[in-house]
Amino acid sequence: MRLIRLYVRVLGQLGSDLRLGAVLAAANIGLAIAAFAEPILFGRIIDRLTQGAGGATVTFSSLLPLLGAWIGFGLFTIGAGVLVALHADRLSHRSRLGAMANYFEHVLELPLAFHTSTHSGRVLKVMLEGSNGMAWLWLGFFRDHFAALVALTILLPLTLFLNWRLGLLLVVLVGVFTVLTAIVLRKTETLQGRVERYHSTLAEHASDALGNVPVIQSFTRTKAETGALRNIIGELLAAQTPVLSWWALASIATRASATLTVTAIFMLGTWLHLRGLASIGDVVMFMSIATMLIGRLEQVVSFVNQLFLQAPKMAEFFEILDTAPAVHDRPNAKNLDRPEGRVEFDNVSFSYDGKRTAVADVSFTVAPGENVALVGATGSGKSTTLGLLHRAFDPQSGCIRIDGEDIRDICLASLRRNLGVVFQEPMLFARSIRENLLVGRPDATEAEMLDALERAQAAEFIQRQSDGLDSVIGERGRSLSGGERQRLSIARALLKNPPILILDEATSALDAATERKLQSALEEVMKGRTTFVIAHRLATIRNADRILVFDAGRVIESGTFDELVAKGGRFAELAQAQFMVSDGRPPVAPTRPTLALVGGA
């Protein structure tokens, strides 16, 4: 039943091609009827001819209706076959690419928690293998399998009305083989699930290694990683071999059944004919029907075999497709025009797993254009707080407002259009510099892009690139240095020109000289916009308008740099640890004003 439900769901993925699918299904029914009618007509023609051999008068005109019907069914078979051949392939490939696009769009909307816990290699493998499996199913269904199923389930019982003795033998033989196939299915169902898990592990391991080639080469891990991959392959083969053995047995049984069925029909038909219970035409007809049905049976067995092998891949595809995005637009969500930038957190709480609280009862208000810093140790809740602001996830309780509007009532796309985020990891695409910049604003002109690069202190290294803005920077921007990647990421955010800016350790990969240049540029950029900064180096938040100190997901201190140092609390300890202050000494000279979150995520 699980396979049948999966089968029906795959067919339901045809979407707009369902009408064409219905036409092809009708053509398959016609082909099944034609394939069944031809041996019946042939048998009747043989009977007429044998009557002539017995002395009865048989004219060509008396055979003409039977011959005409036989030829007509043959011509229909050719025409319907052409229709199916022309459109089944196109439908299959078109639907496969459509399913891939839908899957890709869905995955991009899934919460960060999903992507954190699911390896990207597995996600890609599931997309490719799942969509390919469905394409095979669609193609096979409309080419052969549906006609075979119609012949076996509907037309086979009709043989009882032609000659119930020969028909009964045929039904029994097909029934026995169906039972044997069901036994093979039961034996291999659990085994094939294990095989697919090994395939996923293989994809994850290979993707992980290919994404860390510099580490593998530096630590001379090539043989170790290759050995680990070979071990996974060995385990996969060990799990796959029993499955293949069972299906080899089913394949042998299929071939044996063809010989046994035709032999049994011939022997029983001969015995019946000698007793006047079957004509020669009946024997010839049932021999042809048996041959045709055995061919159909082989198609069905091949189909069931492939369906069974592909089922875990397609099940994984639907499992991910059924994962609901944690964040989505509410009905009648509003579009957010460019806001003033007032941000309010009102008793906001959030937990990733429902057990350990990541953010607990956080409340604060940021005025438009204010620079506020959130400071704390790694895991204190700073990055989670800002993730809630741009709706990477939604809080379990409390409310976040921008200009008085609950952000859950705002259209997600328009909310994120008004937020600019520079992540600690640059997260660049393996595309050209131009394409990476246009992620920030697709309609930006080249002059605007160059201006953003200039303000991000990136213009100089862009000029050194062989193709300038059209230079391709490799996977995750690996052809650039760490500082160059970060400056390009900052330029992308500046080009977006959002009213609310989030800088998550944006200058961590820069050398001191470049960081000083960029700080002055960022000060200009932050004017007139609400800015949040996460920074490990407290010197970068020296002149923040306000600093919020986080601990275990809660705000435990709030104030300016000097006020917090004077309190002698948690922030003062952090400042002293970074030699920003010492007993009896004033804090060091300011470097720049900002709103910052200090520490790890």
Side-chain angles (χ1 to χ4, degrees):
M1 289 301 297
R2 186 179 65 84
L3 283 177
I4 293 174
R5 286 195 299 269
L6 181 64
Y7 187 31
V8 171
R9 184 167 185 188
V10 170
L11 294 177
Q13 291 292 305
L14 290 173
S16 60
D17 279 321
L18 273 175
R19 182 174 297 179
L20 174 59
V23 172
L24 294 177
N28 272 271
I29 293 174
L31 285 169
I33 294 172
F36 204 76
E38 287 182 18
I40 295 175
L41 291 169
F42 185 63
R44 296 293 175 254
I45 293 172
I46 294 297
D47 278 338
R48 290 288 182 89
L49 293 175
T50 54
Q51 289 172 7
T57 302
V58 178
T59 63
F60 184 78
S61 59
S62 66
L63 293 173
L64 198 57
L66 292 174
L67 292 171
W70 190 28
I71 294 171
F73 277 114
L75 293 176
F76 172 81
T77 299
I78 295 172
V82 170
L83 173 68
V84 170
L86 280 176
H87 293 285
D89 277 296
R90 298 176 187 178
L91 180 147
S92 175
H93 288 289
R94 184 167 59 245
S95 298
R96 176 179 67 88
L97 295 174
M100 287 176 62
N102 292 336
Y103 173 97
F104 184 72
E105 180 180 11
H106 175 76
V107 166
L108 293 182
E109 293 176 347
L110 290 179
L112 294 179
F114 169 84
H115 293 282
T116 301
S117 60
T118 308
H119 199 286
S120 59
R122 176 177 178 263
V123 174
L124 180 61
K125 172 254 182 191
V126 168
M127 180 180 75
L128 296 176
E129 293 192 349
S131 58
N132 286 338
M134 288 192 290
W136 166 84
L137 189 59
W138 291 320
L139 185 60
F141 178 83
F142 291 116
R143 268 189 174 177
D144 304 305
H145 303 148
F146 185 55
L149 290 170
V150 169
L152 291 173
T153 59
I154 298 176
L155 301 180
L156 175 61
L158 295 180
T159 58
L160 295 171
F161 295 97
L162 300 174
N163 185 307
W164 71 267
R165 296 174 180 84
L166 289 171
L168 183 61
L169 175 62
L170 201 55
V171 170
V172 169
L173 289 172
V174 172
V176 168
F177 187 74
T178 301
V179 171
L180 293 175
T181 303
I183 292 173
V184 172
L185 277 175
R186 284 188 173 277
K187 289 289 186 181
T188 54
E189 183 173 7
T190 304
L191 295 174
Q192 186 60 32
R194 287 182 57 210
V195 170
E196 201 51 42
R197 286 193 291 273
Y198 281 122
H199 276 294
S200 294
T201 302
L202 182 66
E204 291 176 8
H205 184 89
S207 176
D208 203 33
L210 292 173
N212 291 281
V213 170
V215 176
I216 290 173
Q217 293 179 349
S218 175
F219 287 85
T220 60
R221 291 279 305 173
T222 301
K223 289 185 177 179
E225 292 296 324
T226 303
L229 187 71
R230 292 185 187 280
N231 287 338
I232 296 172
I233 291 172
E235 293 172 343
L236 192 157
L237 287 174
Q240 183 76 78
T241 300
V243 178
L244 298 177
S245 298
W246 276 105
W247 282 108
L249 181 62
S251 178
I252 293 169
T254 302
R255 291 187 175 89
S257 68
T259 302
L260 293 173
T261 300
V262 171
T263 302
I265 290 292
F266 180 75
M267 293 181 67
L268 178 62
T270 301
W271 185 84
L272 292 173
H273 176 67
L274 294 176
R275 283 159 180 75
L277 298 174
S279 66
I280 293 176
D282 287 338
V283 177
V284 172
M285 175 176 62
F286 270 90
M287 290 280 288
S288 299
I289 290 175
T291 303
M292 182 269 293
L293 287 178
I294 289 300
R296 295 297 192 185
L297 196 58
E298 289 179 346
Q299 290 176 350
V300 170
V301 170
S302 173
F303 157 70
V304 173
N305 181 11
Q306 286 299 316
L307 174 61
F308 184 73
L309 293 175
Q310 298 291 338
K313 300 173 184 178
M314 293 183 286
E316 276 192 306
F317 185 94
F318 288 121
E319 180 185 348
I320 292 179
L321 208 59
D322 290 339
T323 303
V327 177
H328 50 80
D329 286 336
R330 285 180 172 176
N332 303 315
K334 305 173 184 177
N335 277 320
L336 181 67
D337 294 328
R338 188 174 180 88
E340 293 181 5
R342 180 181 180 84
V343 178
E344 301 171 67
F345 277 69
D346 184 4
N347 290 314
V348 172
S349 296
F350 175 76
S351 172
Y352 288 100
D353 56 10
K355 300 175 182 178
R356 187 176 66 87
T357 301
V359 174
D361 300 320
V362 170
S363 295
F364 62 86
T365 300
V366 181
E370 186 180 5
N371 297 334
V372 177
L374 284 74
V375 177
T378 298
S380 60
K382 305 177 305 302
S383 292
T384 300
T385 299
L386 295 188
L388 291 166
L389 177 58
H390 61 83
R391 292 194 72 192
F393 21 73
D394 282 334
Q396 275 90 32
S397 63
C399 179
I400 304 171
R401 302 182 186 89
I402 293 179
D403 289 358
E405 292 281 355
D406 188 333
I407 62 174
R408 289 170 294 193
D409 293 328
I410 298 171
C411 174
L412 191 59
S414 69
L415 169 68
R416 291 176 176 169
R417 254 196 320 268
N418 286 286
L419 293 171
V421 184
V422 179
F423 299 96
Q424 182 172 0
E425 184 181 346
M427 297 185 183
L428 299 174
F429 296 96
R431 304 169 190 172
S432 69
I433 293 171
R434 184 190 305 277
E435 288 172 297
N436 274 279
L437 288 172
L438 290 176
V439 168
R441 203 172 100 218
D443 60 347
T445 65
E446 183 160 333
E448 289 171 327
M449 285 187 278
L450 293 174
D451 178 63
L453 290 167
E454 185 71 38
R455 287 189 291 158
Q457 305 296 311
E460 181 183 352
F461 82 79
I462 297 298
Q463 292 171 359
R464 293 199 305 266
Q465 300 296 314
S466 58
D467 296 319
L469 290 177
D470 294 315
S471 299
V472 177
I473 57 176
E475 186 178 2
R476 298 186 182 182
R478 284 179 179 169
S479 67
L480 305 178
S481 69
E484 290 170 343
R485 290 197 296 269
Q486 193 65 291
R487 279 179 277 171
L488 183 56
S489 177
I490 292 170
R492 180 172 60 190
L494 299 182
L495 186 64
K496 188 177 182 180
N497 190 30
I500 300 172
L501 183 64
I502 299 172
L503 304 175
D504 185 351
E505 192 65 24
T507 60
S508 62
L510 305 180
D511 59 82
T514 304
E515 183 182 27
R516 282 194 297 271
K517 293 179 183 178
L518 191 58
Q519 293 291 1
S520 59
L522 289 176
E523 286 175 12
E524 291 298 319
V525 171
M526 288 187 289
K527 287 179 180 178
R529 74 181 84 232
T530 306
T531 308
F532 297 86
V533 179
I534 300 177
H536 285 290
R537 293 193 287 273
L538 297 186
T540 62
I541 63 160
R542 179 62 181 79
N543 287 339
D545 295 331
R546 185 157 38 113
I547 300 173
L548 304 177
V549 183
F550 272 64
D551 184 55
R554 299 177 183 273
V555 178
I556 59 172
E557 294 178 2
S558 176
T560 65
F561 189 100
D562 292 338
E563 289 170 349
L564 292 175
V565 169
K567 285 182 180 179
R570 177 59 179 155
F571 182 81
E573 293 176 4
L574 291 171
Q576 189 171 354
Q578 294 191 24
F579 304 102
M580 293 290 296
V581 296
S582 60
D583 294 339
R585 292 185 182 180
V588 298
T591 57
R592 67 157 181 155
T594 184
L595 164 60
L597 286 74
V598 180

